[in-house]
Amino acid sequence: MPVSITAIRHGFAGDVTGIDCAKPLSPAVVADIEAGMDQYAVLVFRDQPLTDEEQLRFTLHFGVIEKGGSGVGRIHFRTDLEARSLGGGIGDFSNIDGSGKPLSPASRAYMFKLADRLWHSDSSFKAVPAKYSLLSGRAIPSWGGATEFADMRAAYDALDERTKREVEDLVCRHSNMYSREKIGFNDLSDAERIAFKPVRQRLVRRHPVTGRKSLFLSSHAGVIEGMSVPDARMFLHDLTEFATQERFVYSHTWRLNDLVVWDNRTTMHRGRRFDPSEARDVRQTRLAGDGITIEQAE
Ligand SMILES: [Fe+2]
């Protein structure tokens, strides 16, 4: 069956058919998917029941797993009791604890994860930010829990010329601390504060294949170099509000066994509310990016 990609929105997000993600892919199919990612930035593969091993194998067709595991990793925000044991390279983005129950809203892991509901780009707090994230829906709550994506290329293109000139050479600092701070979560250990040392990122970046410019926004951004913090935060807030207007957004309503892949270099995303007493088992693999967006200080 040939690979077919149908646009979900105009030029943003594609629905892929004709692929069994559990099977090894031919180089031609890998190239089709990469071309689809470059065009649509988000791809949806329906009806793909995957084991962790199959998800990992599919992911590795497109790059190398990000060092330090997917996301911030269990060590930073889940205590032993709050952590499930999943295989290497698989990020636990579920709300399920070590005993198989939904995390209590009073738990630290629950509160830490809440900031994923702010618009962000995965691993923008790392000097080399992520390429693709791949999220597999293994258990889906009965209400809510959508993942929304915003097209940062279209948002950049739609900026007025004066704003484009203003943002062109700006450099932000990103940290997990800034995103947690925004929801009032300041309960970080000294070790976490060291691990979350801010990194520098360009505010405008260029896609390495298509050459298209995009806004590199993320809730992890908390500082713009050369600006006061309030001025920077207001500007980032305004840009984020602009870039996440409905016309730039695709909202993904999850079905069991969906696999959704997005390019963090050209999109932001956020999770949406769901009933915390229901299990939401979503597992993520994350690919390392191709390089820094700008030199780090020191
Ligand atoms: Fe994320």
Side-chain angles (χ1 to χ4, degrees):
M1 200 162 131
V3 177
S4 161
I5 305 179
T6 313
I8 298 174
R9 301 221 44 172
H10 179 68
F12 184 51
D15 200 8
V16 187
T17 53
I19 294 179
D20 180 350
C21 299
K23 301 261 167 64
L25 306 178
S26 69
V29 169
V30 172
D32 284 348
I33 296 173
E34 278 182 335
M37 286 299 292
D38 290 344
Q39 184 174 356
Y40 297 108
V42 180
L43 291 180
V44 175
F45 303 75
R46 301 277 191 188
D47 304 313
Q48 303 287 340
L50 295 174
T51 64
D52 289 351
E53 293 71 28
E54 287 163 347
Q55 182 174 346
L56 204 52
R57 184 172 60 188
F58 179 81
T59 304
L60 289 170
H61 286 106
F62 307 101
V64 295
I65 297 292
E66 189 178 67
K67 217 170 137 221
S70 289
V72 290
R74 291 190 289 268
I75 50 160
H76 289 315
F77 70 96
R78 289 197 184 214
T79 64
D80 287 349
L81 276 178
E82 291 166 345
R84 291 191 302 180
S85 171
L86 299 182
I90 300 287
D92 189 1
F93 282 68
S94 77
N95 66 333
I96 300 165
D97 70 14
S99 67
K101 295 200 190 76
L103 289 164
S104 158
S107 67
R108 189 169 190 277
Y110 175 93
M111 289 185 238
F112 195 101
K113 279 173 58 61
L114 270 184
D116 292 346
R117 295 192 197 164
L118 297 171
W119 287 105
H120 66 281
S121 174
D122 286 339
S123 299
S124 74
F125 50 80
K126 292 190 175 183
V128 177
K131 184 187 179 189
Y132 301 164
S133 295
L134 301 88
L135 198 60
S136 163
R138 313 288 179 87
I140 301 302
S142 62
W143 172 85
T147 304
E148 295 182 342
F149 298 93
D151 186 348
M152 294 296 104
R153 307 163 303 178
Y156 174 83
D157 290 346
L159 291 173
D160 65 77
E161 291 306 316
R162 182 191 162 120
T163 310
K164 273 187 186 161
R165 281 196 300 276
E166 252 184 296
V167 295
E168 180 65 27
D169 293 315
L170 289 180
V171 176
C172 300
R173 294 195 178 203
H174 293 232
S175 166
N176 250 314
M177 277 187 285
Y178 299 140
S179 44
R180 310 305 124 169
E181 209 177 80
K182 283 174 190 161
I183 59 163
F185 183 88
N186 296 307
D187 172 26
L188 298 173
S189 67
D190 290 344
E192 283 169 331
R193 285 182 196 281
I194 292 165
F196 297 158
K197 181 174 179 251
V199 299
R200 305 177 78 216
Q201 302 290 5
R202 282 190 179 284
L203 183 49
V204 177
R205 64 188 298 192
R206 226 180 238 287
H207 192 279
V209 178
T210 66
R212 268 187 89 177
K213 284 183 177 177
S214 57
L215 274 176
F216 193 33
L217 289 167
S218 185
S219 64
H220 305 308
V223 168
I224 299 176
E225 293 181 3
M227 263 186 213
S228 71
V229 169
D231 216 7
R233 298 254 170 130
M234 261 334 293
F235 193 27
L236 291 168
H237 181 84
D238 284 349
L239 287 171
T240 301
E241 199 170 73
F242 176 83
T244 57
Q245 295 172 75
E246 200 274 335
R247 61 180 162 140
F248 304 127
V249 171
Y250 162 61
S251 179
H252 182 74
T253 302
W254 286 89
R255 287 188 222 149
L256 186 65
N257 297 325
D258 283 349
L259 177 71
V260 181
V261 183
W262 62 91
D263 189 337
N264 289 293
R265 300 170 299 185
T266 51
T267 61
M268 279 204 292
H269 61 281
R270 66 172 176 179
R272 303 298 274 154
R273 296 178 68 233
F274 60 96
D275 183 338
S277 69
E278 288 190 63
R280 180 176 190 261
D281 190 353
V282 287
R283 301 188 190 190
Q284 197 190 91
T285 37
R286 189 177 293 181
L287 291 174
D290 28 66
I292 53 174
T293 66
I294 192 160
E295 292 298 327
Q296 299 302 305
E298 286 116 15

